[in-house]
Amino acid sequence: MADINFFRPIFRYCLLLGLGLFFQGQGVAAEILSQAERGWLQAHPDIRVVVLPDYPPISFLDAQGKPVGLEQDYLDLLEQRLNVRFKKVIPTLAQRAANSPSEKQADMLTLFALTPERSKHWLFSKPYLDFPIYLITPEKAPIGFSLENAGQLRISAVEHYATYDYLKTRYPNVHIEAVGDTCLGLQHVAFGVSAGLLTDLPVANWCAEHLGLKHLKIAQSIDFRYQMGLAVRNDWAPLMAILEKGLATITPAERDAIYARWSRNAFEDSIFETYRHAFFALALGLLGLAIYQLMQWDKVLKLALDTRVQHRALNGRQPKPAAMASKTLVQSNITAFAVIITVLCGVFALAYVQYAKASPVLFNSIAVLLLSIGLFSGFIFGKLLSRYDADSYLNQLLKAIDERQEFGQKLSLSEARLAKQQAALGQLAQRQLQSWLTPDEIFREIAEVSAKTLNVERVSVWLFSDDREQLECMCLYLKSSQLHTVARPLQLGDFPCYFEQLKQHRVIAAHDAVRHAATSEFTACYLQPNQIGAMLDSTIWLDNQVIGVICHEHIGGVREWALDEQNFAGSVADLARLTVETHQRRLAETALRKYSETLVQMVDAKTLSLQASEQRLSYVIAHAPIPILSINISNGEIAEFNPEAELATGYMRQDVVGQSFIGLLVADESQDMMLSMTGRLRKGEDVRNIEIWLNHATGKKVEFLFSACLMAHDNGAEADFVVAIGQDITQQKLLQASLVQAREAAESADRIKSMFVASMSHELRTPLNSIIGFLGVVLHGMSGEVNDKQKDQLGRAYKSAKHLLALISDVIDISKIEAGYLNVYVESFPLKPLLAECIQTVQAAADAKHLAIRLACTEGLAVASDRKRLYQVFLNVVSNAVKYTEQGFVDISVQIEQDKVKIIFQDSGIGIDAEGLAKLFTPFERAESHLKIKTLGTGLGLYLTRKILTQLLAGDITVTSKVGEGSVFTVEIPKQLLAQNIQTSLLTP
Ligand code: ADP
């Protein structure tokens, strides 16, 4: 019903609009009333009208107490039209109770139905309000419920209302429930007290809206209506005529407007449901018609299509589209639109049923008009559509069929190609398994099979060079001549773009090789000379790197490479990759095999050498002249024990192997040391020359000198054996002890000898000094005149005594030094005066030979040493220089080096030969020379000098010399002599 409600106001407003226009400018009071009537009205200016205060929405009081409602709108219209003024009187309760006000109280009544009683006093107009009466029931009441089939269910009606009487007389069997007013009656229905209420719609709508009652519906339209008119005092007949005229001016549109203002439909209308079956039948009919229409269309289209296909097959061209089946189509479309129009009629019929309740005027004519427009436009539109649709649809269909046929042909071609390609791939894959074929042979086969399968003239296989700078042709197959050959290499520099593209694509399908970006570089040098029009290149990839390409070259114009052909080319490239891969793997396998054979040989050789070395070692251990044993480091047990060890310890190998080395062999006093030695060995340290005591089998103890180390394994595994090599040093130790004793005895004897020599020399020196003294006295004639002969003899004796004294002095000094009895007195003194003193001592001898003695020494250079001993050293060296220099010079110079002082004595003397130099510091040795006899000497000077320097003064003396050129003696002493540097003797500060 919602649809009907939607349409209803639209129709209504259309009608109001038309009728409003029609009646515009009419209904003026002056024109409808006669002179007498207007006069009567003037004579009766106040017309008292009784209005009901409590009959909404027909007549009731608003919030301000002003009468309002549907009926009041009629009175207002009458006042306007008739130019009268109604004085509205609200009846008292008593008057209401009397149900008929007397003419004393009112001139006019509204909403009064004509009754015989009332007609005694009142004149009644024709009814101006006409409300159909409906049966309102709960929404859930069964469809088709009506007063006729109400049975014992209670039906409400408002007491005193005409409906009540109507119900009573018309439906005597209905169980009537009298209610006070419509609102109460509706509530009874809503809450299930009664099954229905007989009422007019405006009042029922009002009550339902104001009480908020829902879920109620109009169940039945009753053939009874409320018709209410105006009543006028029976002595005011002219007024009745006036009012009738006034009421006649009120148009249906105005009536509808008033009705719409005061009454809004609050109920579901079940009348639709009454017609529901009809609607369903209609819908089913429509559906059937639509299906029939579709089948019809399908039949027509099929026919048209077949005709066209046949026509085209016969004539080779399309027939004129418009000529085909249009007639049939138009007919069928007209049928379709007739159906649509039928539907429209149905809708309008329904609308009529609804709308006619209020106002049927003009509805029919408008409906007919709309139907005509629908029919006409439907016909035209349908005709146009059918023609257009059919043609375009047919054309599309034909196109689709053509495409399908074309596609089918392509598909079958492609299937045939695929079968061929699969067979070719199978054949090539089979060849891969034949290990005796070389890569070149497989490449040749790939090229040939590819060329035949894809029907291409030239197929070539290329691989990159090691430096990836060029592509080298492995093979080139020419199909027409069935020839296998090779092409020249391609340089990267010549075709950079092509090389670059190879890195980016799996397959390069150059349908037009001259224009394709990747292959256009070949145009002049390759494509045109060979008449190549299209190229299909599939790249060979290995380890994410492109290693080559297979080129399929089509001769004679461009060629569209189908997708399956491109895939085939890709698969062929994969097979080529497999060839390369297999070849590389075989090479690697061969190399590996060789390598492993070499390895086995090396291992064998190594094993042999190890065995030999082991045998040698066993031999060495068995025959070594020293005791050797090996000990398991983890448990300390003896593992190996050689015969020499058996000899040294008295134990046999079989008795000691497996026994604890420390527990069995090591003597108690050496066990601690042995344990600490084991610790060091475990850490990987070598232990050398450790002396330990071992238990001998006889119960004695023998001392051993041991060296041991952990035996490292060749394979780097942790070492577990210690090899110990020992030596019985018991005898050696005893010998050593006796030697020490002997040396100590000898040293003591030597000291005694030195002391003896020293004291003897001293004893000799005293009388000798006296001899020299007296000889000097006699020689110088102090004890009397001596003749020349005596002088000569005394002189010889004097010289010999002096020489003897010098000899004795040296011997004493040497002896004291060796005996450790020579004291050292350290003091600080300037060096230069000391040297000058020495020079002065020998100056006379030098002058006698005309020798120049030169001294170069820094003034103030001081040393801390024993001055007396140093003087003795310098004097000895200087006097030697003078002694063994016949002419020339003696130079003395001083050099300071860090904390040392070097005093260099250089002479231009006779020099010393190598033999002399070797014995220079040996006691009593004098170098051979012609001066040996001429000069007096003991051969002790330099020996003593070196002893003083090295043993007392922490210095040294060195010499270089050349025979005939001279000698250089260098004395080196510390600037500061420290006590700890003195080797022997006593230090006296
Ligand atoms: P002596 O001078 O008493 O023989 P020395 O021990 O002082 O004993 O010297 C040993 C020998 O060294 C001398 O006999 C001499 O042959 C040689 N000798 C020493 N000094 C010089 C020198 N300056 N030039 C050459 N020969 C020298």
Side-chain angles (χ1 to χ4, degrees):
M1 278 319 285
D3 288 349
I4 301 303
N5 286 334
F6 175 74
F7 284 117
R8 191 180 287 160
I10 298 171
F11 294 140
R12 189 177 292 159
Y13 287 119
C14 289
L15 283 172
L16 287 177
L17 191 68
L19 295 176
L21 286 169
F22 179 71
F23 289 107
Q24 200 180 24
Q26 295 189 16
V28 179
E31 289 170 14
I32 57 167
L33 295 183
S34 65
Q35 189 69 34
E37 286 166 336
R38 285 202 295 274
W40 190 93
L41 279 177
Q42 278 172 0
H44 302 85
D46 282 337
I47 300 169
R48 290 170 299 165
V49 181
V50 173
V51 291
L52 293 180
D54 52 1
Y55 188 28
I58 312 298
S59 175
F60 61 103
L61 301 179
D62 68 6
Q64 284 78 40
K66 192 179 155 226
V68 288
L70 195 144
E71 189 243 0
Q72 293 305 319
D73 285 1
Y74 276 90
L75 288 181
D76 291 346
L77 268 178
L78 284 176
E79 280 184 327
Q80 281 173 21
R81 301 273 154 85
L82 303 173
N83 198 19
V84 294
R85 211 170 60 80
F86 296 121
K87 193 177 169 191
K88 289 162 186 166
V89 177
I90 294 156
T92 62
L93 276 175
Q95 290 166 343
R96 296 285 303 279
N99 201 19
S100 177
S102 73
E103 61 273 26
K104 305 269 178 353
Q105 292 146 354
D107 305 319
M108 198 175 130
L109 304 173
T110 57
L111 305 174
F112 277 83
L114 178 63
T115 61
E117 176 59 29
R118 288 171 183 171
S119 61
K120 288 179 191 167
H121 308 285
W122 302 91
L123 298 170
F124 282 85
S125 71
K126 277 188 268 174
Y128 66 94
L129 288 179
D130 183 357
F131 300 136
I133 300 298
Y134 294 100
L135 175 65
I136 306 289
T137 64
E139 200 177 62
K140 58 179 188 286
I143 293 164
F145 177 76
S146 66
L147 291 173
E148 282 78 13
N149 58 20
Q152 284 307 301
L153 293 173
R154 281 189 291 190
I155 301 296
S156 298
V158 180
E159 212 174 1
H160 308 305
Y161 279 15
T163 46
Y164 185 81
D165 296 336
Y166 167 80
L167 196 58
K168 211 166 182 182
T169 51
R170 179 76 195 276
Y171 296 98
N173 296 329
V174 168
H175 186 75
I176 306 170
E177 189 201 38
V179 289
D181 56 43
T182 309
C183 288
L184 196 62
L186 268 189
Q187 279 175 313
H188 276 211
V189 176
F191 299 124
V193 179
S194 65
L197 170 74
L198 274 193
T199 178
D200 62 291
L201 266 190
V203 178
N205 281 338
W206 177 276
C207 289
E209 193 179 328
H210 282 79
L211 293 172
L213 298 176
K214 288 188 179 127
H215 310 301
L216 296 172
K217 69 177 180 185
I218 298 169
Q220 187 183 5
S221 175
I222 308 296
D223 57 345
F224 176 70
R225 310 176 79 88
Y226 266 170
Q227 291 183 323
M228 281 168 283
L230 295 169
V232 176
R233 282 163 51 178
N234 57 6
D235 53 339
W236 278 23
L239 180 61
M240 178 49 74
I242 291 165
L243 289 174
E244 291 280 14
K245 281 187 174 178
L247 286 171
T249 64
I250 298 173
T251 65
E254 284 171 324
R255 286 168 185 273
D256 281 350
I258 292 169
Y259 185 89
R261 187 176 163 206
W262 293 103
S263 179
R264 274 183 295 279
N265 194 10
F267 302 102
E268 288 295 313
D269 195 341
S270 75
I271 289 168
F272 168 74
E273 289 174 358
T274 315
Y275 298 103
R276 186 174 57 155
H277 302 298
F279 277 115
F280 281 141
L282 191 65
L284 271 178
L286 283 176
L287 191 68
L289 272 171
I291 292 168
Y292 171 75
Q293 181 60 25
L294 277 175
M295 285 163 66
Q296 199 67 7
W297 275 343
D298 186 54
K299 205 164 131 191
V300 168
L301 284 173
K302 219 174 194 165
L303 192 70
L305 203 64
D306 289 348
T307 319
R308 279 189 188 209
V309 172
Q310 281 170 11
H311 192 278
R312 194 174 54 177
L314 286 174
N315 304 339
R317 64 183 172 85
Q318 290 277 83
K320 260 183 149 183
M324 299 302 306
S326 297
K327 201 175 157 196
T328 328
L329 274 173
V330 171
Q331 278 170 0
S332 69
N333 276 347
I334 288 171
T335 319
F337 279 94
V339 171
I340 294 165
I341 286 154
T342 315
V343 176
L344 281 173
C345 286
V347 171
F348 276 111
L350 185 68
Y352 172 76
V353 170
Q354 289 296 298
Y355 194 75
K357 284 182 221 166
S359 174
V361 183
L362 280 184
F363 180 77
N364 286 340
S365 54
I366 287 169
V368 168
L369 183 69
L370 288 173
L371 285 178
S372 316
I373 294 167
L375 190 64
F376 183 69
S377 58
F379 180 74
I380 299 293
F381 198 56
K383 193 164 182 172
L384 286 172
L385 261 183
S386 63
R387 178 167 295 195
Y388 172 75
D389 279 356
D391 283 341
S392 67
Y393 179 64
L394 276 174
N395 285 336
Q396 278 176 16
L397 217 58
L398 277 172
K399 206 171 151 196
I401 288 171
D402 288 348
E403 281 172 3
R404 216 170 108 178
Q405 276 177 353
E406 202 180 320
F407 178 71
Q409 282 169 359
K410 277 188 182 169
L411 199 70
S412 59
L413 273 176
S414 150
E415 270 172 6
R417 279 202 310 268
L418 272 174
K420 202 173 166 190
Q421 287 163 9
Q422 263 173 9
L425 287 174
Q427 182 190 340
L428 288 175
Q430 202 69 33
R431 299 297 271 166
Q432 295 285 340
L433 301 174
Q434 295 168 351
S435 56
W436 59 88
L437 288 176
T438 64
D440 284 345
E441 284 168 337
I442 297 181
F443 286 149
R444 273 205 289 280
E445 180 126 6
I446 284 175
E448 188 175 336
V449 171
S450 255
K452 284 176 182 164
T453 310
L454 293 183
N455 195 22
V456 224
E457 176 53 31
R458 296 161 63 94
V459 177
S460 46
V461 181
W462 303 75
L463 290 181
F464 273 103
S465 60
D466 290 343
D467 59 2
R468 304 187 64 77
E469 287 294 310
Q470 68 173 20
L471 274 172
E472 288 157 0
C473 183
M474 298 293 111
C475 67
L476 165 63
Y477 178 72
L478 305 172
K479 189 163 83 80
S480 54
S481 54
Q482 298 191 346
L483 198 70
H484 285 284
T485 176
V486 284
R488 276 189 293 118
L490 298 177
Q491 302 296 333
L492 166 67
D494 298 339
F495 309 102
C497 185
Y498 179 67
F499 274 65
E500 188 55 37
Q501 293 274 330
L502 288 183
K503 283 188 225 158
Q504 295 170 10
H505 299 282
R506 183 170 184 251
V507 174
I508 298 171
H511 311 296
D512 183 351
V514 174
R515 287 201 172 73
H516 195 278
T519 53
S520 59
E521 284 174 337
F522 295 114
T523 306
C525 64
Y526 192 64
L527 300 181
Q528 282 170 351
N530 291 314
Q531 295 177 316
I532 295 167
M535 283 175 81
L536 179 63
D537 290 3
S538 48
T539 44
I540 307 167
W541 291 81
L542 185 64
D543 297 335
N544 290 330
Q545 195 183 39
V546 60
I547 57 160
V549 60
I550 299 182
C551 299
H552 303 81
E553 293 155 1
H554 175 75
I555 285 182
V558 297
R559 170 172 168 175
E560 191 74 22
W561 299 106
L563 211 59
D564 57 86
E565 291 173 331
Q566 295 181 27
N567 282 338
F568 174 75
S571 304
V572 167
D574 287 344
L575 283 173
R577 189 220 40 208
L578 207 64
T579 309
V580 174
E581 215 171 22
T582 313
H583 178 61
Q584 284 182 357
R585 203 191 60 231
R586 282 191 189 136
L587 285 180
E589 277 171 3
T590 313
L592 203 69
R593 211 177 303 121
K594 273 188 188 157
Y595 179 72
S596 77
E597 280 167 12
T598 318
L599 210 66
V600 168
Q601 283 170 4
M602 278 164 68
V603 169
D604 289 348
K606 185 85 183 166
T607 313
L608 280 175
S609 96
L610 270 177
Q611 282 170 351
S613 122
E614 223 165 76
Q615 280 172 358
R616 276 199 300 277
L617 190 68
S618 304
Y619 181 85
V620 168
I621 290 175
H623 295 88
I626 47 168
I628 300 176
L629 60 150
S630 79
I631 301 155
N632 189 334
I633 194 78
S634 58
N635 54 17
E637 287 173 2
I638 297 166
E640 195 53 70
F641 205 70
N642 78 342
E644 203 60 31
E646 289 177 341
L647 263 177
T649 59
Y651 285 103
M652 296 312 288
R653 183 179 180 280
Q654 61 269 26
D655 299 332
V656 292
V657 168
Q659 300 286 329
S660 163
F661 172 67
I662 295 177
L664 179 71
L665 284 184
V666 180
D668 292 346
E669 57 264 49
S670 292
Q671 283 193 348
D672 287 347
M673 194 217 273
M674 198 58 218
L675 285 171
S676 79
M677 190 175 102
T678 313
R680 282 169 59 196
L681 284 168
R682 275 211 183 92
K683 283 185 213 161
E685 285 178 34
D686 284 0
V687 175
R688 290 186 184 281
N689 302 329
I690 299 289
E691 293 174 7
I692 54 169
W693 286 96
L694 294 187
N695 298 322
H696 195 269
T698 55
K700 286 192 297 182
K701 284 181 184 163
V702 284
E703 195 168 12
F704 260 73
L705 185 68
F706 259 115
S707 289
C709 67
L710 209 57
M711 284 298 283
H713 283 290
D714 275 357
N715 57 7
E718 209 172 310
D720 43 11
F721 281 94
V722 166
V723 172
I725 299 169
Q727 185 187 355
D728 186 352
I729 53 167
T730 319
Q731 292 306 321
Q732 193 182 325
K733 276 276 173 164
L734 288 173
L735 198 67
Q736 216 172 349
S738 64
L739 275 176
V740 167
Q741 269 181 356
R743 195 186 70 204
E744 279 172 359
E747 279 173 358
S748 152
D750 190 49
R751 259 199 310 278
I752 292 165
K753 173 212 82 182
S754 295
M755 284 305 299
F756 169 74
V757 171
S759 55
M760 277 306 291
S761 302
H762 184 73
E763 292 304 321
L764 283 174
R765 197 159 53 175
T766 313
L768 201 57
N769 272 329
S770 147
I771 291 167
I772 290 168
F774 285 112
L775 273 175
V777 169
V778 175
L779 199 61
H780 287 99
M782 283 148 73
S783 57
E785 197 73 21
V786 279
N787 60 26
D788 288 345
K789 199 175 177 184
Q790 287 172 322
K791 221 178 214 175
D792 178 54
Q793 288 167 343
L794 281 172
R796 285 169 193 255
Y798 182 74
K799 252 185 191 173
S800 296
K802 276 275 225 187
H803 179 66
L804 192 59
L805 181 63
L807 180 70
I808 288 171
S809 294
D810 284 351
V811 168
I812 289 170
D813 283 349
I814 289 166
S815 299
K816 277 189 176 174
I817 290 169
E818 284 176 352
Y821 287 111
L822 205 65
N823 292 343
V824 177
Y825 300 93
V826 178
E827 60 184 319
S828 185
F829 54 90
L831 198 61
K832 197 172 178 183
L834 182 68
L835 287 166
E837 210 176 305
C838 293
I839 293 169
Q840 204 183 352
T841 311
V842 297
Q843 190 65 52
D847 290 347
K849 291 182 174 182
H850 307 291
L851 295 178
I853 303 179
R854 298 184 293 244
L855 172 63
C857 178
T858 318
E859 250 0 289
L861 171 66
V863 291
S865 196
D866 188 321
R867 195 176 189 280
K868 189 179 160 202
R869 294 293 159 210
L870 209 52
Y871 175 79
Q872 197 177 350
V873 167
F874 290 165
L875 185 65
N876 193 20
V877 180
V878 174
S879 62
N880 271 354
V882 172
K883 218 169 19 172
Y884 299 106
T885 304
E886 289 170 308
Q887 57 183 21
F889 61 87
V890 175
D891 277 353
I892 304 169
S893 60
V894 177
Q895 285 178 7
I896 304 164
E897 281 181 9
Q898 295 172 347
D899 54 347
K900 285 181 175 159
V901 180
K902 277 185 178 173
I903 305 99
I904 302 150
F905 303 86
Q906 187 177 7
D907 63 59
S908 57
I910 58 166
I912 313 160
D913 59 8
E915 198 184 339
L917 281 174
K919 300 187 287 189
L920 204 58
F921 298 103
T922 315
F924 303 109
E925 286 290 345
R926 303 193 67 205
E928 289 303 329
S929 73
H930 63 279
L931 292 180
K932 190 176 175 183
I933 309 297
K934 270 168 80 181
T935 56
L936 280 176
T938 60
L940 284 176
L942 284 178
Y943 175 71
L944 178 63
T945 299
R946 174 174 261 186
K947 258 202 175 339
I948 293 170
L949 276 168
T950 55
Q951 292 190 1
L952 301 182
L953 302 183
D956 203 358
I957 181 166
T958 52
V959 60
T960 56
S961 182
K962 230 174 182 185
V963 178
E965 288 182 14
S967 311
V968 179
F969 283 82
T970 304
V971 172
E972 190 184 280
I973 52 161
K975 231 173 145 186
Q976 197 97 39
L977 177 60
L978 299 173
Q980 64 263 30
N981 293 335
I982 301 167
Q983 282 184 11
T984 57
S985 87
L986 303 167
L987 183 73
T988 309

